Amino acid sequence: IVVPGFGRTQTDYLPLAFSLASRRFRVLRYDHTNHVGQSDGDVLQTTLRSMQIDLQKVIEFARTTWPTAPLTVVAEDVGARVAVKVMAETGSPGSLLLVNPVLDLQKALSTMYHHDVLSDYRQGLRRGIANLWGLNINLDQFLSDAIAGAYADLSTTMADFSGLPSPPTICTSRKDDLSMLGQLESSLRAVASSRSVISLQTDLWVHPDTVDERHLSTFHT
């Protein structure tokens, strides 16, 4: 199951899916509800718990359709954080591959906005519609949902990591997205100090017309 990253659509992972299928993997791609791509709903209403429900339904579909097949969930950035919670709360057996995971949402948001917007929200400040990692969303609703869904900070991630049936594999590729990666090094030390981190040459998402040898190497890794 390929969980799209924030602002990404299943089409972005088509070359990855073809590469995996050529190695005899069965691949499920989907779009988040209230997000980009072929999903239903309104992008302004994007929330993490909505993404969580989507992934739970996709896992249920896979388990029902292929009950004896081993399951691997591949998830990027914010989608990776959602996947950690889903796998921890459901106790679902399977492998979890996290790519450029956003493990400390509060720090990632602070890096982007140069201010602690989660603390501001808790203190009553409202921002309405705002740009978040390239998407215009209802930021107040997003923050409220993150707090209510236990996504808001690193401590919630640590709690979810402790509930995973097996440790995840963690990969990194991006070198220039400070708002996403600014939280990664310190949060990895906190939640996965014993895990090695695999470096990839490229991101997993790519337009089919621009695939090159570096992408094929990343897919192979």
Side-chain angles (χ1 to χ4, degrees), residues 6 32-36 39-54 128-130 132 135-146:
F6 194 90
H32 300 299
T33 304
N34 295 322
H35 213 67
V36 296
S39 63
D40 294 329
D42 182 355
V43 173
L44 288 175
Q45 307 306 318
T46 288
T47 65
L48 295 177
R49 284 195 294 181
S50 176
M51 294 179 182
Q52 179 179 335
I53 292 170
D54 292 339
I129 306 304
L132 178 62
L135 293 184
N136 287 329
I137 68 167
N138 184 331
L139 185 61
D140 297 329
Q141 178 175 282
F142 182 89
L143 297 175
S144 173
D145 177 85

Side-chain angles (χ1 to χ4, degrees), residues 163-179:
L164 289 173
S166 57
T169 299
I170 298 172
C171 299
T172 61
S173 63
R174 299 178 195 173
K175 307 299 183 184
D176 56 353
D177 191 341
L178 295 180
S179 67

